[in-house]
Amino acid sequence: MVAYKNSPLNLEAAHKYVTALGAMIANSAPRELSNPREAALIAVPEGRELELHKEGYTRERDVIAIAFRPGKESEGPTNIAIYERLNNKVRVNPRCSPWYSPHPRLFMVASHEDEIGYGYSDARLVRIGPVPRKDFELRLKQGEAELHRAAKIAKDLVSNPFLRR
């Protein structure tokens, strides 16, 4: 996870969700479909997730911007924005959420605007689509529940560089 500059976030709490999300979307991403450049997962304050292209974060890489309400990071993300470089232009998918299907087991970040889903493989963004729209709201609720469950155990996945010892 990359720390957003001068972030008012409790990065220790946000890191659990970012780590869990990265691990969960990596499990469903086919490597052969990954984008050629690296992607960063960034925790940002709510409302800043749509400004990253202005600040240069998207110049050399794709970005998964995970927005948190400052002071309420332990409640989980409020939004996810995806920045993907396509044909030398940055495409922003401004409103995405965790999406989960238990049968077959699949977890991804799905767009609310179109039928695109995203995974993560070898530190690269993977475009998955089309995302089934049947029971879409249910899948989003299940995705959020799975992310909360995984965040509780995320401390065991990767050491947290923001952990205060």
Side-chain angles (χ1 to χ4, degrees):
M1 176 177 91
V2 176
Y4 185 75
K5 63 183 180 183
N6 302 321
S7 180
L9 295 175
N10 174 343
L11 294 174
E12 183 179 332
H15 184 266
K16 293 175 187 174
Y17 284 96
V18 174
T19 300
L21 181 70
M24 294 176 82
I25 62 177
N27 288 335
S28 60
R31 224 173 237 147
E32 61 274 7
L33 300 178
S34 63
N35 287 351
R37 77 216 130 267
E38 287 191 358
L41 283 88
I42 300 177
V44 298
E46 183 180 50
R48 303 300 301 261
E49 69 270 23
L50 299 179
E51 300 174 6
L52 298 182
H53 59 289
K54 297 174 189 171
E55 299 177 20
Y57 280 93
T58 61
R59 205 171 285 132
E60 300 294 325
R61 60 187 168 198
D62 295 330
V63 175
I64 301 170
I66 305 150
F68 294 88
R69 189 171 292 121
K72 302 199 182 251
E73 298 84 357
S74 62
E75 294 177 5
T78 57
N79 186 33
I80 301 171
I82 305 284
Y83 293 80
E84 182 180 23
R85 187 170 287 284
L86 296 168
N87 300 324
N88 265 349
K89 293 183 182 175
V90 176
R91 179 184 190 276
V92 181
N93 215 320
R95 199 166 71 94
C96 299
S97 297
W99 183 98
Y100 177 71
S101 172
H103 306 291
R105 191 173 183 340
L106 180 62
F107 190 91
M108 70 179 89
V109 174
S111 170
H112 290 260
E113 274 75 35
D114 53 32
E115 294 184 0
I116 296 173
Y118 297 93
Y120 191 64
S121 179
D122 290 334
R124 287 166 168 70
L125 192 63
V126 178
R127 200 173 236 254
I128 303 169
V131 176
R133 289 312 205 204
K134 182 180 181 202
D135 299 326
F136 187 70
E137 292 300 320
L138 172 64
R139 300 288 179 238
L140 296 179
K141 286 179 186 172
Q142 290 175 328
E144 186 175 337
E146 284 295 305
L147 180 60
H148 281 277
R149 183 194 61 73
K152 288 180 182 174
I153 60 169
K155 63 181 182 202
D156 299 330
L157 297 174
V158 176
S159 65
N160 186 338
F162 304 103
L163 187 62
R164 295 182 188 103
R165 298 186 196 269

